Amino acid sequence: MIKVEQPEPADIDILHAMLRETYWSPGIPRDTVARGCANSMCAIARDEGGTLIGFARAVTDRTVFAWVCDVIVAPEHRGKGLGRSLVRTLMEHPDMQTVRRWMLGTADAHGVYAELGFGPIKAPQRLM
């Protein structure tokens, strides 16, 4: 089950353990993970027992802009479309329906996000 909700302290422990091993946030401090979550819209996937198995967050004003980041799925649950479903859940949330600029960065999951409408930036020279 995927829901938009803020992570509990036990979720932060699981998320921190996963994120500190990624290429985009190696060694990230737990407090940084907790503050990032507190200031973002978070989507959480849980297994039948309620344990966090997937996560994504959007840094957003909930009006016109959202940066999707920290999309991560526990290794044993990868390859089932869960990452894409987490991002879709954020995009379909009622508070996000006026967002007109969605962005993200990835080194290796371009195909995952292309199915949700993400693609290369058309005018990268405009971004700073």
Side-chain angles (χ1 to χ4, degrees):
M1 173 191 276
I2 300 174
K3 289 173 58 176
V4 172
E5 63 183 8
Q6 289 306 114
E8 301 292 328
D11 297 331
I12 298 293
D13 291 338
I14 294 167
L15 186 55
H16 174 243
M18 293 191 322
L19 287 174
R20 72 178 178 216
E21 302 300 323
T22 63
Y23 72 83
W24 67 86
S25 59
I28 190 169
R30 185 188 185 284
D31 182 58
T32 300
V33 173
R35 283 185 300 136
C37 290
N39 291 296
S40 301
M41 175 181 278
C42 302
I44 297 174
R46 298 184 184 282
D47 66 13
E48 301 80 28
T51 301
L52 183 145
I53 59 168
F55 177 85
R57 70 186 180 101
V59 180
T60 181
D61 61 5
R62 298 178 187 227
T63 306
V64 296
F65 179 79
W67 175 267
V68 176
C69 56
D70 293 338
V71 181
I72 192 158
V73 175
E76 62 273 18
H77 295 280
R78 292 180 184 158
K80 302 172 188 171
L82 195 51
R84 185 179 302 112
S85 293
L86 285 157
V87 175
R88 183 179 294 113
T89 297
L90 291 170
M91 295 176 80
E92 292 177 352
H93 191 277
D95 288 356
M96 304 296 270
Q97 295 313 295
T98 59
V99 172
R100 63 180 184 258
R101 177 150 338 254
W102 287 87
M103 297 183 75
L104 60 79
T106 184
D108 57 3
H110 296 81
V112 170
Y113 302 114
E115 289 188 28
L116 295 172
F118 288 90
I121 295 171
K122 291 182 176 77
Q125 69 278 9
R126 292 183 179 183
L127 298 176
M128 295 180 68

